[in-house]
Amino acid sequence: MDIFIQQIINGLVLGSMYALVALGYTMVYGVLNLINFAHGDVLMVGAMVGLSIIKLLNEHAPELPGIVKMIIAILGAIPVCVIVNIVIERVAYRPLRNAPRLAPLITAIGVSILLQTIAMMIWGRSPIPFPTVMPTDPITIAGALISPTQVMLLVLAAAAMIGLSLLVEKTRLGRAMRATAENPRVAGLMGIDANRVIVMTFVIGAALAAIAGVMWASNYSSAQFAMGFVPGLKAFSAAVLGGIGNIYGAMLGGILLGVIESLGAGYIGDLTGNFFGSNYQDIFAFVVLIIVLTLRPSGIMGERVADRA
């Protein structure tokens, strides 16, 4: 039972990060019907900026508590990621809104490579150790261990997802996002500025990716220029698993994907002598994804147009 609880905790931590990034994918797809494959690299930018900020804080304000340094790093990474995402939308995607769907897809891949190359030029090729600022003594829950960094990650992810849900359901911007997702032309006739809604969608997605990026690097104690590719691919898979275009589907898909990976690596890896252990944990997630999409192509929660935002 202790092992099961430990794997569930590990899965929730991993799934929370997937869910934060998956929300960026699903929101952009809901409004634009566009897959922003550069979104994983926005996570990388957030991680690298957060790392740089923490290094500066360690040098010039070492007396600050670790949690304060992490919050400052996240708050510093968010505007950088927001600016990057706004530039991507304005330069790479807006001119291609009426182009064939293959054009923005290829452009997204090109933007991803460009971001990785710029990051490599700024921070170098080699992985950079992420400074340890949070306490390292683990917290025991029912025989399982969870680090203070992971607790902070879960709290931030839950707060971000609840806040996004309230924004989409209860605010004027949320109604505008849902209206634009349903029919941009009719929304425009009702006085909604579609360009503003689309920019705000990219802004929110960038903020969530920045949080996920800093916490990902802190949790795994490392960051590098190519670190966003695999989490981005997994997060896109989570969005598809839950139902692309549905924000609640993205949350559910991210959590499920993380738990499936953790349980698969923990249990099936042990049964097979670790042949299918943590080094092959991607297998479990993508096998489940294939099965779900074979039986239900629209994803677990389907695509409810009214909730696409």
Side-chain angles (χ1 to χ4, degrees), residues 187-245:
L189 293 175
M190 299 298 292
I192 294 174
D193 186 347
N195 285 332
R196 177 177 175 271
V197 170
I198 291 168
V199 168
M200 289 306 301
T201 301
F202 276 84
V203 166
I204 295 169
L208 296 176
I211 296 171
V214 175
M215 297 311 301
W216 184 287
S218 178
N219 187 52
Y220 292 104
S221 302
S222 179
Q224 63 157 335
F225 74 96
M227 64 175 287
F229 176 75
V230 173
L233 186 61
K234 296 282 191 68
F236 171 67
S237 301
V240 174
L241 178 64
I244 190 74

Side-chain angles (χ1 to χ4, degrees), residues 13 16-17 19-20 23 66-67 69-75 78 134 148-164 207-208 210-216 218:
V13 169
S16 296
M17 293 185 285
L20 288 175
L23 285 167
I67 190 169
K69 292 179 181 178
M70 288 294 295
I71 291 173
I72 293 174
I74 291 172
L75 293 178
I78 287 175
M134 296 287 289
T149 299
Q150 292 173 329
V151 172
M152 181 179 179
L153 192 158
L154 290 174
V155 171
L156 287 175
M161 287 187 276
I162 292 171
L164 178 62
L208 296 176
I211 296 171
V214 175
M215 297 311 301
W216 184 287
S218 178

Side-chain angles (χ1 to χ4, degrees), residues 267-278:
Y267 281 99
I268 301 178
D270 290 341
L271 292 174
T272 58
N274 209 37
F275 180 75
F276 287 112
S278 59

